[in-house]
Amino acid sequence: MADILVDSDVILDVVTEDSKWYDWSAGQLEKLAESHTLVINPIIYTEISIGFDRIEDLDQAVPPEFFRRDPLPLEAGFLAGKCFVKYRRSGGRRRSPLPDFYIGAHAAIGGIALLTRDTNRYKTYFPKVALISP
């Protein structure tokens, strides 16, 4: 069973019942869960957590029996840093690495696909990562 890293935007679409993206995101999660292991990491967990007051509610929204929780590999941190330097040199204004760099680097280092709606940064900085997107 192949792994798929699930970006927070897809999970938040389902949790918040987003009027535009709920059907697509829920459908992708349901379909992919049949033949893949869905994975989140601490960065994704953190991004999702902002909408919850209690960790128990968050854990119910992203249950460990549905989403495997993987640590962020150290190598992904290194790659995220290199991509961030490239971003800054090309005019990026943010002063610290964005979560997307860590998420993209995790997928790249792990050789796993990424389910996301936000493809621009991933295509630019992680062109070899297979994206599952609308």
Side-chain angles (χ1 to χ4, degrees), residues 15-66:
V15 171
T16 65
E17 297 182 9
D18 184 89
S19 60
K20 181 176 181 181
W21 291 106
Y22 174 85
D23 289 337
W24 183 85
S25 294
Q28 289 297 311
L29 289 172
E30 184 178 340
K31 179 178 82 171
L32 294 170
E34 293 175 7
S35 57
H36 297 80
T37 301
L38 303 179
V39 178
I40 61 172
N41 65 30
I43 302 293
I44 296 164
Y45 188 84
T46 300
E47 288 185 317
I48 298 164
S49 75
I50 294 169
F52 293 88
D53 293 328
R54 299 171 0 117
I55 195 169
E56 294 83 3
D57 296 334
L58 171 59
D59 287 340
Q60 187 174 3
V62 288
E65 58 273 5
F66 194 77

